[in-house]
Amino acid sequence: MGVRFLRLAIVWLLLLATAWVAEPYLAGLWFSASVPRTVTPRGDLAASEQATIALFKNVSPSVVHVFARATPSASLFSDEQESVVQSGSGVIWDTAGHVITNNHVINGTAQIGVRLTSGEFVTARVVGAAPNYDLAVLQLERPTSAWRPIAIGRSADLQVGQSTFAIGNPYGLDQTLTSGIVSALGRRLPSGAAHEPTGMIQTDAPINPGNSGGPLLDSAGRLIGVNSAIISGSGASAGIGFAIPVDIVNHVATELIRNGHVPEPGIGIVAAKQGEATRLGLDGVIIVRTLPDSPAAKAGIEGADADGVVRDVITEVNGKPIHSIEELTSIFENAGIGNQITLTVERDGQRRKVTVAIADVSQLSQG
């Protein structure tokens, strides 16, 4: 009896082991989808998805791909991709074929071309550039496609938390849509220029190289900013992107189209970041350097020396305390080009008053 039971047990164990080994093969044989699977009905798209799809369809024809080459060649759009030194995005501004992009996209180049959403390539020329705002206006030449100017919104009434959408050409990938929110407002973008852009829109909508010059949109598909820069250790999107507010873009674009440049009231100084003044325990605007032949230079105002030692700090304007370059820039704009202001300048603990005339510093050399 015991031997028979043992034999039966061994047989069952062998059968179970065989079934365990064969199970994947049998399942593959019996349950494999040998014909196309039946599609499961999805139902309607969510309202938010439908809105985003409509936004992209409406706005994408207004977004272009900008190419620029340092040296002219027979064709900007040849297969010699290594000769295309700069690439970015742009927005169609009006029915005359003006395109807004970043100045750094086309700066230092001799040949510019644009690819429209239709796939058509057209050449373009620079109408005007405003390096201190990182904006430029291009004129498209002899296209066959109709223009689709982008809808313009406002940036003055934006609120942190609003939805944002960016369309551009990151890494050369045409017509890429990303989304996020307004992360912060009123940011200052360090650029090293005499006029560092202020009031910038910060967004976490992914912005990468190639998005520069493309639109930042609100949920209504209106332009609220022109994407300009990112903060990233790797050069890729880290969720901190900056856009030039559309209210500034509107003003600058109008001046560039009308006059070819943007008059910029100032005295020709480059100021340190506010955090540097705080670190040094100084209250005022630290002068890093002055531009050659500027009102500040002619008035004897000096920047930091070669060792980085601070020389001059502007502490008052017309007898009123000043704490930041943003306040000082606002005073320049309110006073206007050609008018004079009185600065209180501190050097080595000594204060002196200096009268300077506000000039158009957009034409001054940055050297």
Side-chain angles (χ1 to χ4, degrees), residues 314-322 328 331 335 340-344 353-356 358:
I314 299 174
T315 58
E316 295 180 356
V317 178
N318 295 332
K320 296 182 179 179
I322 193 80
L328 192 56
I331 290 172
Q340 292 185 330
I341 56 174
T342 300
L343 306 176
T344 301
K353 292 188 180 297
V354 177
T355 299
V356 294
I358 298 173

Side-chain angles (χ1 to χ4, degrees), residues 315-366:
T315 58
E316 295 180 356
V317 178
N318 295 332
K320 296 182 179 179
I322 193 80
H323 307 289
S324 68
I325 186 61
E326 289 83 3
E327 290 180 75
L328 192 56
T329 300
S330 179
I331 290 172
F332 294 154
E333 292 174 347
N334 290 334
I337 295 171
N339 293 308
Q340 292 185 330
I341 56 174
T342 300
L343 306 176
T344 301
V345 181
E346 182 174 325
R347 180 189 297 177
D348 298 328
Q350 302 296 316
R351 292 191 171 193
R352 71 186 192 280
K353 292 188 180 297
V354 177
T355 299
V356 294
I358 298 173
D360 178 5
V361 298
S362 67
Q363 304 300 302
L364 293 178
S365 169
Q366 299 290 314

Side-chain angles (χ1 to χ4, degrees), residues 267-269 287 289-304 311-314 343-348 350 352-357:
I267 60 173
I269 60 172
I287 308 303
R289 61 187 175 94
T290 59
L291 302 185
D293 299 320
S294 66
K298 293 175 181 177
I301 297 175
E302 298 180 7
R311 296 282 289 165
D312 286 340
V313 180
I314 299 174
L343 306 176
T344 301
V345 181
E346 182 174 325
R347 180 189 297 177
D348 298 328
Q350 302 296 316
R352 71 186 192 280
K353 292 188 180 297
V354 177
T355 299
V356 294

